[in-house]
Amino acid sequence: MSKISRRNWKQWSVCASLVVGGLIMGLGAAEAMLRLTFADETFGTAVELPWMRATTSFVVDPSFGFRPAFGREYTETGTHQNNYPSTRPDSIVRVLYIGDSVTHRGRIVNALKTLYGDERFEHWNAGVESFNTVQEVEYYRRYNRAIQPDHIVVTLHNNDFGTTPVAFRNAEGQLVVFTPGAPQVRLNPTLFRHSMFYRLIIGSLLTSQREDVVFEDEVRSALHTLQRIAVADGTELTVVVLPILKEHAGWTPQERRNHDAAVRLLTALGIRFFDLLAPLEQAISSGLTLTERPGDVWHPSDDAAERFASYLFDRGLLAPETRE
């Protein structure tokens, strides 16, 4: 290499180093400014579950963000504590209910238990507050499957079209959980956790219509995985589609898309399902109180839960597994 070439190479290297160093310093300054100005802001990339910071009932889990701590309310198989024996008698059908807070709070599950009784059925509840379908299926695969249910009943909620949350412990030891508005394939959880600048960039790139399609694909993939597991284990699988608890005319475009997507993908997969839209409309016409509390369109009241359970019972929800 000539002296001139070596000199040019050195100059270029110095310039490149200065540019890279300047970029690093600039990014560092931007990161520091964002942290000081916006604290835990997500810039539209996610919604925090603030109640998680005050609970000791959940732990961080790399597979699905967070999960219940086992030993108190939940057993080592990820189900609620109950009095059923670990070994199921041959004459008994073991039914496992999986889902989010609606399943966890047990109103529909308890109403079904009342209708079906305990003589031929065991009713196991594995619902987890704030879980979505992707989390529920992985949770089943890793923990719930061990109880060897005869029938899995999944509650597919209108807000279940979401991705695995980002969860971590902050400097104070609190559990911090963010539900991202971007699918797993578009999000780096490590960068999201540590970089406000990354959140800002991701927030500016999100496109809602494109993300809806990817969210549907994630839910379809999760349910297809559960379907394959159920077939391999000889387990019955049924999905209950729970709509938003308000008049259909008042649904937002997103709520309509989610409900339609649930029916469409379950039909395409050939998974047995029941849509609770019809009994919801009947409950509204009857003047029933729909929800746990005013303004809550997610969690059914006891009256609404009983109406839903009666609808499912009359249509043979557990009939495929009934044993003589």
Side-chain angles (χ1 to χ4, degrees), residues 253-270:
Q254 185 66 58
E255 291 162 354
R256 291 176 184 272
R257 279 195 297 271
N258 286 354
H259 184 267
D260 292 345
V263 171
R264 183 173 61 252
L265 68 86
L266 288 167
T267 301
L269 288 170

Side-chain angles (χ1 to χ4, degrees), residues 103-241:
T103 304
H104 169 256
R105 299 182 190 189
R107 284 182 167 81
I108 297 176
V109 174
N110 291 337
L112 286 168
K113 183 177 179 179
T114 298
L115 290 170
Y116 279 102
D118 281 326
E119 292 183 359
R120 291 183 298 162
F121 298 95
E122 292 178 352
H123 301 270
W124 294 62
N125 189 332
V128 179
E129 292 276 341
S130 297
F131 259 20
N132 60 43
T133 304
V134 174
Q135 291 170 289
E136 291 156 13
V137 172
E138 180 62 14
Y139 189 67
Y140 175 82
R141 189 185 68 79
R142 282 185 55 195
Y143 297 107
N144 305 153
R145 190 180 184 183
I147 73 166
Q148 300 179 313
D150 297 300
H151 195 156
I152 308 165
V153 178
V154 183
T155 299
L156 180 56
H157 211 179
N158 192 280
N159 64 351
D160 280 349
F161 289 86
T163 195
T164 301
V166 177
F168 56 91
R169 296 283 177 185
N170 63 14
E172 289 73 40
Q174 297 171 316
L175 179 62
V176 180
V177 177
F178 288 106
T179 301
Q184 289 176 311
V185 295
R186 306 200 197 286
L187 193 70
N188 184 308
T190 301
L191 286 176
F192 183 91
R193 172 184 173 182
H194 294 289
S195 175
M196 300 286 289
F197 188 74
Y198 175 78
R199 296 180 190 178
L200 178 63
I201 295 300
I202 291 296
S204 67
L205 296 177
L206 289 180
T207 305
S208 60
Q209 286 188 331
R210 182 185 65 188
E211 308 308 335
D212 284 341
V213 174
V214 182
F215 281 138
E216 288 181 27
D217 287 342
E218 289 186 355
V219 173
R220 181 185 294 105
S221 177
L223 288 173
H224 187 40
T225 296
L226 184 60
Q227 183 183 38
R228 292 199 307 270
I229 293 172
V231 170
D233 293 347
T235 303
E236 185 74 23
L237 173 62
T238 304
V239 176
V240 175
V241 179

Side-chain angles (χ1 to χ4, degrees), residues 46-109:
V47 176
E48 185 183 356
L49 304 179
W51 62 271
M52 285 282 189
R53 295 196 181 212
T55 183
T56 59
S57 300
F58 291 84
V59 297
V60 175
D61 189 288
S63 294
F64 24 77
F66 65 91
R67 65 162 174 80
F70 299 151
R72 288 177 290 181
E73 181 182 359
Y74 288 85
T75 68
E76 294 297 320
T77 59
T79 59
H80 294 205
Q81 300 282 357
N82 59 47
N83 295 321
Y84 297 125
S86 57
T87 302
R88 172 186 51 77
D90 290 339
S91 60
I92 295 294
V93 176
R94 177 167 289 177
V95 185
L96 176 70
Y97 301 90
I98 68 176
D100 62 5
S101 54
V102 172
T103 304
H104 169 256
R105 299 182 190 189
R107 284 182 167 81
I108 297 176
V109 174

Side-chain angles (χ1 to χ4, degrees), residues 274-287:
F274 295 89
D275 185 356
L276 295 183
L277 181 57
L280 170 64
E281 292 174 338
Q282 294 168 5
I284 292 171
S285 298
S286 300

